[in-house]
Amino acid sequence: MKKTNKTLYWVFTGLLSLLMVTSVTRYFMDIEQFQNYFTAFGYNGRIVVHLAIAKLLAVVVILANKWPTLKEWAYAGLFFDFVLALEAHIHLKDDQFFGPIIALVLLALSYAFYRKVLRDNEDNV
């Protein structure tokens, strides 16, 4: 079971990371368009660059697996990002809410299996 938990953790974390890197790449490839989107959502358009950097840093922290407390904060930050994205898309009624839902599911699965792997490792001590 320990190997299965670790495998599932890496599968879900890999998919989440891929989704975030794709998101960051899209932000930088067409920054003006995303600034307009964020303005339509009611946010300051300048937040796009900061959000892209924060997403990328969260992925690095989660994948590096070296800073447990910072990793918890990275998961929390992504959670709030995805919830706010979902709320914004629902508010705009633009039918683009599936991305944040998928991201939330991947985040929840990655985090759940991260905790299981930690418990598995504690049992070995």
Side-chain angles (χ1 to χ4, degrees), residues 17 19-29 31 34-35 38 45-62 70 73-74 77-78 81-82:
S17 299
L19 183 65
M20 290 301 89
V21 170
T22 301
S23 172
V24 168
T25 303
R26 290 184 64 216
Y27 281 7
F28 285 125
M29 296 287 287
I31 195 164
F34 282 97
Q35 286 176 330
F38 275 74
R46 292 179 295 169
I47 197 170
V48 173
V49 172
H50 303 288
L51 185 58
I53 292 168
K55 285 182 178 186
L56 195 56
L57 289 173
V59 168
V60 168
V61 167
I62 289 171
L70 196 54
W73 281 92
L78 289 176
D81 175 52
F82 301 156

Side-chain angles (χ1 to χ4, degrees), residues 7-19:
T7 300
L8 288 172
Y9 163 73
W10 283 111
V11 167
F12 294 126
T13 302
L15 290 171
L16 175 67
S17 299
L18 181 62
L19 183 65

Side-chain angles (χ1 to χ4, degrees), residues 65-104:
N65 208 18
K66 294 182 186 243
W67 311 283
T69 303
L70 196 54
K71 186 169 183 164
E72 294 282 339
W73 281 92
Y75 274 116
L78 289 176
F79 172 78
F80 288 113
D81 175 52
F82 301 156
V83 168
L84 289 172
L86 178 61
E87 186 275 329
H89 287 292
I90 289 171
H91 177 73
L92 284 181
K93 299 179 177 113
D94 67 357
D95 298 330
Q96 298 294 315
F97 54 86
F98 289 111
I101 290 173
I102 291 168
L104 278 167

